[in-house]
Amino acid sequence: MLSRRHFLRVAAAGAGAMLVAPQIVFASAATERRFVFVIQRGAADGLNIVVPYAEPAYAGLRGALAIDTANADTANAIKLDGTFALHPALVQTAQMYKSGQALFVHAVASPYRDRSHFDGQNVLETGGRAPYQVKDGWLNRLAAQVGGTRENAIAFAPTVPLALRGAARATSYAPSALPAASDDLLTRVGALYEGDAQLHGLWTSAMTARGLAGDVSAKQDPASVGKLAAGFLARADGPRIAMIETGGWDTHSAQNARLSNQLKALDTMIAALRDNLGPAWDNTTVLVATEFGRTAAANGTGGTDHGQGSVAMLMGGAVAGGRVIADWPGLRPGDLYESRDLRPTAALDGLIAGAAAESLGLDPQRTAATLFSQAGTTRPITGLVRT
């Protein structure tokens, strides 16, 4: 027999949402600025996302995987400057770059130098120098710096990811696979709990979350994810920090088609977030990053293997964009890390610290020390976000 509490959760889920936490009550917002972290799980290939088309060794290493910039009769990479071009699937991202709302940091990596997805993601999410060195996540420590009452951070995922776990309160939200409940059922359940001091509050919170989610279906398409996230972030009393998980970036084979689909989905999601945030987009910074990059050379199955340096993306109305930041190491045999990977020349820790601090109006040095205390001296990259 279902308990009343369990039935409440099931009914709320059937209403179109799965509440991973019993209730979603957000902070009294301490700022109008918003920071969104999008993780690319699986090691995204930075060399084919922001393409170093002017690099003499690029085409030879990539072979059939090389992204063309020359043939005007086909869909080709979009030139950003005299060195780099953007993958052709990133149409909306290219528009943001052109309008000064996107920038890219190339040859960037966390301190992790091995090639395990699990260990690499642990280092990326915790902010340590080695796997399992730190137990909580840097995004949770960032939420604690922002302050406010109750939850000020949310993950759009079935459970709270490691990056958001820690002392600061955070929640997660994901669509349910259950069929939507009828309006009649919702009315009856609401009446049933009207006089219950404890469950009435839970039900009200569930219905508020359902209203924010709108008619997002159980099968999430990228546009729906962006719209869903915007619904929460646009609220006056909504969260100011969010995390969105994306997977499928591990392209060992058939990379060209798979990466194109992945990037089109990412592009669609970010555009939907932008379009549905309205005026709040002007105060928003979105950071997209992966645990490590992929090999400089193509493998024998039309893909690439686990590597090191990759590219990170910053997008948003608050971003001082229209540029590629890169201390380019080159792709000749002697330039590569361990003779196989794009050599990291920029610290992802420093990028995260600088972008997070500037996007939320925090001190970059203090933020770097708080988020990456186990990583040694982290120098935040600044000048990324408009004041």
Side-chain angles (χ1 to χ4, degrees):
M1 181 176 179
L2 290 175
S3 68
R4 290 196 299 169
R5 184 180 302 277
H6 184 63
F7 177 74
L8 172 63
R9 287 185 177 179
V10 172
M18 177 178 68
L19 300 184
V20 179
Q23 54 183 324
I24 298 181
V25 182
F26 296 117
S28 298
T31 178
E32 283 301 308
R33 304 183 185 195
R34 290 139 174 103
F35 180 76
V36 181
F37 173 48
V38 179
I39 188 170
Q40 298 168 294
R41 297 194 186 277
D45 182 21
L47 287 173
N48 273 20
I49 295 174
V50 175
V51 183
Y53 71 90
E55 163 63 49
Y58 170 76
L61 282 168
R62 287 283 152 137
L65 293 185
I67 303 295
D68 189 15
T69 61
N71 187 353
D73 296 328
T74 59
N76 297 292
I78 305 155
K79 288 187 178 180
L80 301 172
D81 56 24
T83 303
F84 298 101
L86 196 61
H87 191 285
L90 294 170
V91 175
Q92 295 293 324
T93 303
Q95 291 181 7
M96 285 183 261
Y97 179 89
K98 186 176 180 179
S99 65
Q101 295 187 355
L103 67 80
F104 311 101
V105 181
H106 221 318
V108 68
S110 79
Y112 181 71
R113 289 293 174 269
D114 291 317
R115 296 179 176 86
S116 162
H117 290 304
F118 300 107
D119 291 353
Q121 289 173 28
N122 183 275
V123 171
L124 171 57
E125 293 189 77
T126 61
R129 290 200 64 85
Y132 314 106
Q133 178 186 49
V134 181
K135 302 304 180 185
D136 60 349
W138 65 263
L139 201 56
N140 187 278
R141 298 193 288 276
L142 179 65
Q145 274 197 285
V146 173
T149 58
R150 300 184 181 271
E151 287 88 350
N152 203 21
I154 186 170
F156 296 96
T159 59
V160 176
L162 178 57
L164 258 180
R165 296 179 197 168
R169 293 181 62 174
T171 191
S172 62
Y173 187 96
S176 171
L178 294 174
S182 67
D183 289 341
D184 180 65
L185 174 61
L186 299 180
T187 300
R188 291 173 182 270
V189 174
L192 179 64
Y193 294 119
E194 185 69 34
D196 191 302
Q198 182 178 14
L199 295 180
H200 174 67
L202 288 171
W203 182 255
T204 301
S205 178
M207 291 301 96
T208 299
R210 178 178 183 259
L212 288 170
D215 59 356
V216 177
S217 63
K219 182 175 175 57
Q220 288 285 275
D221 64 270
S224 294
V225 174
K227 182 179 180 181
L228 175 67
F232 284 97
L233 291 165
R235 283 184 61 172
D237 64 342
R240 293 298 179 258
I241 294 171
M243 179 172 174
I244 302 175
E245 293 189 309
T246 66
W249 299 95
D250 196 16
T251 51
H252 287 284
S253 62
Q255 174 172 301
N256 276 356
R258 293 173 59 192
L259 184 62
S260 181
N261 289 336
Q262 288 288 117
L263 292 174
K264 183 177 180 181
L266 177 67
D267 193 62
T268 299
M269 183 183 74
I270 300 298
L273 177 66
R274 175 198 63 196
D275 295 344
N276 288 278
L277 270 176
W281 176 253
D282 292 338
N283 294 317
T284 298
T285 302
V286 181
L287 168 64
V288 182
T290 190
E291 68 261 30
F292 47 73
R294 307 195 72 81
T295 50
N299 61 24
T301 57
T304 52
D305 298 321
H306 299 174
Q308 290 299 323
S310 189
V311 70
M313 299 182 271
L314 277 181
M315 292 172 276
V319 173
R323 56 200 168 119
V324 180
I325 300 173
D327 178 9
W328 187 245
L331 294 177
R332 295 172 302 179
D335 299 328
L336 300 176
Y337 180 83
E338 295 184 347
S339 302
R340 55 172 273 165
D341 305 325
L342 176 65
R343 183 180 300 277
T345 58
L348 186 53
D349 290 357
L351 174 61
I352 291 171
E358 290 186 336
S359 68
L360 294 169
L362 304 172
D363 176 74
Q365 297 294 339
R366 179 182 174 188
T367 300
T370 301
L371 270 53
F372 303 107
S373 61
Q374 298 298 317
T377 303
T378 297
R379 296 178 59 185
I381 300 175
T382 56
L384 303 170
V385 176
R386 298 185 181 93
T387 56

